[in-house]
Amino acid sequence: MPEAVIPDASPVAARSIDADADIQNALNQAGNEFMLGVTAGSVIGGVVGLIGGCVVGAVVLLIGGCIPGLGLGAALGPIIGGVVVGVPAGIAGLIQAYNTLHAAGEISAPTPIAPAVS
């Protein structure tokens, strides 16, 4: 007959959890992802705005139209690009932060309200 194995019952040191620091770190990471998205979107939007504005201005105004279109594209391109890329990156960062904190048990899911018993 095999011998029974008794698990080791030695005490384990408790891990201190600093929920406030973890939440702050998660929000900082989400903010970093948002700003990285805004920066990348602004750079790409600026280049696309310059080229697209010049092309549209040249087609619409024919003679000398590239210059006004270039200015408008350079002004609007980075703004639009930053919003188009930055907002989804920020939302994804916040979702990831929530999921990480929830998995660690530092944020709990809302408790459903029990239906009233008649």
Side-chain angles (χ1 to χ4, degrees), residues 5-96:
V5 177
I6 299 173
D8 184 18
S10 60
V12 177
R15 186 186 113 189
S16 68
I17 297 174
D18 187 3
D20 290 336
D22 290 343
I23 291 170
Q24 188 67 36
N25 289 338
L27 291 176
N28 285 338
Q29 182 64 32
N32 289 340
E33 291 176 16
F34 171 71
M35 288 310 299
L36 181 61
V38 167
T39 303
S42 294
V43 169
I44 294 168
V47 171
V48 170
L50 283 170
I51 295 168
C54 185
V55 169
V56 170
V59 169
V60 173
L61 299 174
L62 295 177
I63 300 172
C66 179
I67 302 301
L70 186 87
L72 185 61
L76 295 179
I79 296 169
I80 295 170
V83 169
V84 166
V85 178
V87 170
I91 291 170
L94 287 173
I95 291 170
Q96 180 182 5

